[in-house]
């Protein structure tokens, strides 16, 4: 059954390549129950990811720790921007238990940005990695982290817990930062990626970019070059989708053919593995990508 993935009354009709086929079967419902029963949040649901049906049906999900309210207000993001909840120190164990119940071979853990906390909540990231490891020795762990306001100690706290993949999204080109993610700094995000490779050379480093926010292909080429120069191993390039009318308009819908060309462009800049397609997201097919790249590092 084909349905057009509908997000709020968009001005620009969405092209057919953004329609999805909903997977059949109860795994999706099982995953939703496991998440609910363990009182957890996922970025899949909070950010209204178009792939959640497919990923859940495959038994994978991206857990969002440190609450569901973010201290920042990026203009593309559907996560609630409000006074954050108190830190829940039992959350790491609950994530580990959900991973066990779901039998995940690969888990992605992300968070809202908590600029209100010392170290931005890095300790909870580290404790979650350790808790998952204790209960699920075979599970590979990817963490998608905020920029911790550039704090080196916060980054080290996470790296010392030894995740398998360290992911941090650059999100867009430098010129658009003030419009798209005003509380972030382009060079700060690049520095974070560079620091990880400097501190943990064998760690797989990953980043992501959205297109359709007003960037030009020349700006994308420059951004790919900057990301490649950090030593980043994996890059995800996907289409920005407007979560609601409160968020930025979609400037353009990039066709699958254009995405292939962008993927090639990014690889030509020296990034080992690039997935560029309309509906890819940071943790989409994350395990496959990791297994592909980790053989080449
Ligand atoms: S920092 Fe992350 S979770 Fe917070 S608004 Fe920006 S993209 Fe969304």
């Amino acid at each position: 059954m084909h349905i057009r993935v509908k997000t709020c009354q968009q001005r620009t009709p969405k092209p057919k390549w953004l329609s999805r086929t909903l997977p059949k079967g109860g795994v999706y419902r099982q995953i939703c129950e496991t998440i609910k029963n363990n009182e957890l949040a996922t970025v899949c649901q909070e950010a209204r990811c178009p792939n959640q049906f497919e990923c859940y049906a495959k038994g994978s999900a991206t857990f969002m720790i440190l609450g569901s309210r973010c201290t920042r207000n990026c203009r593309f993001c559907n996560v609630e921007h409000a006074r954050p909840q108190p830190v829940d120190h039992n959350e790491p164990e609950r994530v580990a238990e959900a991973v066990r119940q779901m039998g995940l071979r690969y888990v992605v853990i992300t968070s809202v940005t908590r600029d209100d906390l010392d170290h931005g909540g890095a300790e909870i990231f580290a404790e979650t990695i350790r808790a998952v490891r204790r209960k699920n020795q075979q599970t590979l762990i990817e963490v998608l982290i905020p920029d911790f306001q550039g704090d080196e100690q916060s980054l080290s706290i996470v790296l010392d817990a030894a995740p398998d993949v360290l992911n941090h999204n650059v999100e867009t080109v430098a010129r658009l930062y003030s419009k798209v993610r005003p509380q972030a700094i382009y060079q700060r995000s690049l520095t974070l990626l560079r620091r990880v490779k400097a501190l943990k050379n064998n760690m797989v480093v990953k980043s992501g970019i959205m297109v359709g926010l007003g960037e030009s292909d020349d700006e994308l080429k420059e951004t790919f070059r900057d990301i490649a120069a950090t030593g980043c191993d994996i890059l995800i390039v996907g289409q920005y989708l407007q979560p609601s009318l409160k968020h930025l308009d979609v400037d353009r819908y990039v066709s699958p053919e254009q995405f292939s060309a962008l993927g090639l462009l990014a690889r030509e800049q020296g990034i080992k593995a690039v997935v560029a397609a309309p509906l890819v997201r940071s943790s989409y097919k994350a395990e496959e990508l990791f297994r592909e790249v980790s053989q080449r590092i």
Side-chain angles (χ1 to χ4, degrees):
M1 171 176 68
H2 263 283
I3 65 161
R4 190 170 286 283
V5 176
K6 186 175 175 309
T7 49
C8 229
Q9 306 92 13
Q10 272 159 324
R11 292 181 182 81
T12 322
K14 289 165 77 175
K16 65 181 182 330
W17 60 72
L18 290 172
S19 67
R20 309 264 10 217
T21 305
L22 279 185
K24 296 189 175 49
V27 179
Y28 177 79
R29 268 193 301 284
Q30 269 171 23
I31 298 294
C32 289
E33 267 157 41
T34 304
I35 292 163
K36 191 158 159 269
N37 295 345
N38 287 283
E39 298 166 37
L40 294 168
T42 66
V43 77
C44 323
Q45 289 163 316
E46 301 298 324
R48 296 178 81 169
C49 178
N51 301 315
Q52 63 175 283
F53 299 103
E54 180 185 344
C55 296
Y56 281 20
K58 281 191 190 149
S60 77
T62 298
F63 295 102
M64 192 165 84
I65 60 174
L66 292 162
S68 59
R69 297 181 201 146
C70 187
T71 54
R72 296 192 184 173
N73 193 16
C74 303
R75 308 299 305 115
F76 63 87
C77 180
N78 194 51
V79 171
E80 187 187 2
H81 168 61
R83 186 184 171 82
Q85 295 104 323
V87 172
D88 175 350
H89 291 282
N90 299 320
E91 189 176 45
E93 279 306 326
R94 293 205 310 276
V95 171
E97 178 54 22
V99 170
R100 187 191 66 74
Q101 289 175 13
M102 293 160 73
L104 294 183
R105 298 183 332 176
Y106 192 102
V107 65
V108 182
I109 299 160
T110 190
S111 81
V112 293
T113 296
R114 296 293 303 258
D115 291 332
D116 60 312
L117 299 174
D118 287 346
H119 302 133
E123 291 88 350
I124 296 290
F125 259 108
E127 191 34 47
T128 305
I129 295 166
R130 294 191 182 102
V132 170
R133 282 247 193 277
R134 277 193 299 273
K135 247 186 185 162
N136 312 274
Q137 283 84 26
Q138 306 311 313
T139 301
L140 293 163
I141 302 172
E142 173 178 326
V143 288
L144 171 53
I145 61 168
D147 63 20
F148 296 128
Q149 299 187 79
D151 180 48
E152 284 192 47
Q153 199 186 352
S154 306
L155 181 59
S156 296
I157 289 169
V158 175
L159 293 180
D160 290 347
D164 299 287
V165 178
L166 192 292
N167 188 350
H168 173 69
N169 286 332
V170 171
E171 304 287 13
T172 187
V173 301
R175 176 178 59 82
L176 296 177
Y177 259 57
S178 57
K179 181 177 104 176
V180 174
R181 48 186 331 222
Q183 291 117 325
I185 301 169
Y186 181 74
Q187 284 303 333
R188 183 162 73 190
S189 284
L190 292 176
T191 301
L192 186 152
L193 297 173
R194 198 176 299 113
R195 253 191 210 131
V196 176
K197 267 299 176 190
L199 292 168
K200 305 281 182 184
N201 193 40
N202 293 328
M203 186 170 289
V204 174
V205 176
K206 185 175 173 180
S207 190
I209 292 275
M210 292 172 290
V211 296
L213 287 158
E215 72 296 322
S216 70
D217 287 0
D218 285 346
E219 286 176 313
L220 286 172
K221 183 175 181 181
E222 203 181 311
T223 306
F224 295 156
R225 193 180 301 136
D226 289 347
I227 293 173
T230 69
C232 180
D233 306 293
I234 301 175
L235 182 68
I236 304 290
V237 185
Q239 170 73 52
Y240 164 61
L241 295 175
Q242 185 188 38
S244 81
L245 277 183
K246 289 182 301 169
H247 295 88
L248 290 170
D249 269 356
V250 174
D251 174 73
R252 62 172 171 160
Y253 287 110
V254 176
S255 71
E257 297 72 28
Q258 289 169 300
F259 268 107
S260 303
L262 288 173
L264 187 59
L265 188 61
R267 279 188 286 277
E268 283 167 357
Q269 308 313 308
I271 302 172
K272 296 185 190 69
V274 181
V275 179
L279 285 170
V280 294
R281 294 291 177 271
S282 295
S283 40
Y284 185 61
K285 297 193 174 167
E287 181 182 359
E288 291 94 320
L289 263 179
F290 169 78
R291 294 195 187 280
E292 182 204 323
V293 162
S294 53
Q295 286 155 14
R296 289 194 264 143
I297 290 187

